Amino acid sequence: MASSSLSRSRSTSMIIMGVVAALVLSAAGMAAAGLGMDFYSSTCPHVEQIVKEEMVEILKEAPTLAGPLLRLHFHDCFVRGCDASVLLDSTPTSTAEKDATPNLTLRGFGSVQRIKDRLEQACPGTVSCADILALMARDAVVLARGPSWPVALGRRDGRVSIANETNQLPPPTANFTTLVRMFAAKGLGVKDLVVLSGGHTLGTAHCNLFSDRLYNFTGANNLADVDPALDATYLARLRTRCQSLADNTTLNEMDPGSFLSFDASYYRLVAKRRGLFHSDAALLTDPATRAYVQRQATGLFADEFFRDFANSMVKMSTIDVLTGAQGEIRNKCYLVN
C-alpha cells in the first residue's frame, strides 16, 4: 500500500509539474492574446469557484455530460476562435453554427446557460460565455479524473455565428492529411492532433458518424464490404448496435467501459484498430502519431498524456480569441445583446 501510494504521489507531482511548465511556456502566448490568469480578480474574483461548484452539481445530475462539454469547447474554438459563437441561436435570416450538420449532436447548452445565470447574479455583465466554456471544459476533465490546466481569462463573446463556417471542424471521416491541414490552420501541430484526439476517451457517438465503416464501405453493397482498418471482432460487435447506415439515434461509447473517466485507454483501443472514427484510425497511418499511440497503449505513460493534454488544451483555448473592446459580454449565451 505504501509503495502504491508513493507511486501515485510521484505521478501526481509529475503531472502538476508538467502543467506548471505548460503555463510557463504558454504565458507569452496568453499575454499576446490579451488574456490573463487574474483577469477577473477585481470584477468577479470567485468566477472559477462558482463554475466549479455548478459543474460538480451538473455532472452529479448528468455524468454523461463531461464529454459533450469538452466537445462544445472544441467545436467553439475551431470556428471563429474561442468566442462562444457555437452557443448562438439561429435567427430568421441566418442559420447559426449550432444548427449545422456537424453540431446537431452537441449537448450541454442548458448547462452553459445555467452557469451564466449564476455568474450574472454574482457579477452582472462581467464574465463572457467564451470564458465560461473554457472553464467548463477544464472542470469537466478534472471531475472525470483527468488533468487540470491553467485557464487564462478575458475572452469576449462574438456577435456572429454562421452554419457554413463549420466546414472548419475536422470531420470524423477525415484522413491524416486532412486532419493535419485543419489543425495547422488553427495553429496546432501534429502532436496536438494526436493528443487532443485522446479526448475521445470521454463520451459517446451516434452510429451515423462511423457506420460507413460497417456497411457498404466501397459501394459494393454486400455485407463483406467493410473498412479493413477496423478490427473484425469489434466491427461485428458494433454491427449489433448499429444495424444500418441510416441509424442516427443509437449511441455508442467511444471508449467502452471507460467513457465516463478521462484516461489513456483510448490509445489502447486505437492501437488494436478499435477506434470508432476514420480520424481515429488515421493516427496509425503516420509514424509520429502511431508511435505516440503505441507508447500510450502500454498504459505506462498516462502522466505524459495528462501533461500533453493540458498543454494542448491551453493552446487550443486561445485560438483567435476576442479581447479588449472586441465583441461583447453577452447577457444570455444564446443571444447577442
Side-chain angles (χ1 to χ4, degrees):
M1 280 290 284
S3 176
S4 176
S5 297
L6 180 59
S7 177
R8 284 196 299 270
S9 176
R10 285 174 176 167
S11 179
T12 301
S13 297
M14 289 176 67
I15 293 168
I16 292 172
M17 289 171 64
V19 172
V20 170
L23 173 57
V24 172
L25 290 172
S26 303
M30 292 175 181
L35 306 178
M37 299 303 300
D38 59 351
F39 187 82
Y40 295 114
S41 59
S42 61
T43 56
C44 196
H46 303 300
V47 55
E48 293 199 41
Q49 177 185 334
I50 291 171
V51 173
K52 184 66 171 287
E53 288 173 357
E54 289 297 319
M55 282 294 294
V56 168
E57 293 304 312
I58 287 167
L59 294 182
K60 188 184 298 181
E61 296 164 11
T64 60
L65 273 180
L69 290 172
L70 175 60
R71 186 179 176 218
L72 258 184
H73 184 42
F74 181 91
H75 279 232
D76 180 42
C77 291
F78 262 72
V79 182
R80 291 189 165 265
C82 308
D83 69 343
S85 55
V86 73
L87 303 178
L88 287 172
D89 284 347
S90 295
T91 68
T93 58
S94 177
T95 304
E97 292 170 31
K98 66 162 59 169
D99 291 320
T101 299
N103 289 339
L104 293 178
T105 56
L106 291 180
R107 297 166 52 211
F109 296 102
S111 297
V112 179
Q113 190 55 47
R114 167 177 169 168
I115 292 179
K116 173 64 172 174
D117 290 342
R118 171 93 186 270
L119 286 168
E120 282 299 303
Q121 292 175 357
C123 320
T126 302
V127 181
S128 69
C129 300
D131 276 345
I132 292 171
L133 273 179
L135 289 169
M136 290 179 75
R138 190 268 310 275
D139 289 349
V141 170
V142 170
L143 292 169
R145 298 190 296 236
S148 185
W149 59 87
V151 178
L153 302 170
R155 297 165 189 78
R156 303 271 290 180
D157 297 324
R159 297 190 180 97
V160 177
S161 183
I162 301 171
N164 289 343
E165 293 184 347
T166 57
N167 61 6
Q168 299 171 67
L169 288 167
T173 55
N175 61 26
F176 186 76
T177 301
T178 299
L179 290 170
V180 170
R181 174 176 54 79
M182 299 185 86
F183 270 67
K186 303 302 173 183
L188 300 173
V190 171
K191 185 169 184 179
D192 298 308
L193 163 60
V194 67
V195 168
L196 291 174
S197 294
H200 288 171
T201 186
L202 288 178
T204 56
H206 288 82
C207 288
N208 62 306
L209 296 178
F210 59 87
S211 57
D212 66 315
R213 305 184 73 192
L214 313 180
Y215 303 99
N216 203 28
F217 181 65
T218 66
N221 200 26
N222 62 65
L223 286 178
D225 189 19
V226 299
D227 185 354
L230 187 59
D231 174 73
T233 302
Y234 192 49
L235 186 149
R237 189 185 310 166
L238 290 172
R239 272 184 166 177
T240 66
R241 292 186 55 80
C242 304
Q243 298 186 13
S244 77
L245 284 168
D247 185 349
N248 62 0
T249 57
T250 304
L251 287 170
N252 296 265
E253 298 175 7
M254 291 192 289
D255 188 355
S258 181
F259 79 109
L260 295 179
S261 298
F262 191 97
D263 51 39
S265 59
Y266 160 81
Y267 294 105
R268 289 196 289 276
L269 289 172
V270 175
K272 294 177 180 178
R273 299 189 298 118
R274 294 188 172 193
L276 277 185
F277 307 126
H278 290 276
S279 58
D280 295 325
L283 299 178
L284 296 178
T285 65
D286 173 78
T289 54
R290 182 171 62 250
Y292 191 92
V293 168
Q294 292 172 340
R295 180 175 174 83
Q296 290 303 324
T298 66
L300 301 175
F301 305 100
D303 56 328
E304 291 182 5
F305 167 52
F306 275 31
R307 182 179 65 241
D308 292 341
F309 192 83
N311 197 19
S312 289
M313 286 299 296
V314 169
K315 289 174 65 176
M316 190 196 79
S317 69
T318 60
I319 295 173
D320 295 336
V321 293
L322 302 177
T323 58
Q326 299 172 314
E328 64 184 12
I329 305 297
R330 291 184 212 141
N331 298 318
K332 296 290 184 181
C333 288
Y334 51 86
L335 294 172
V336 294
N337 295 342

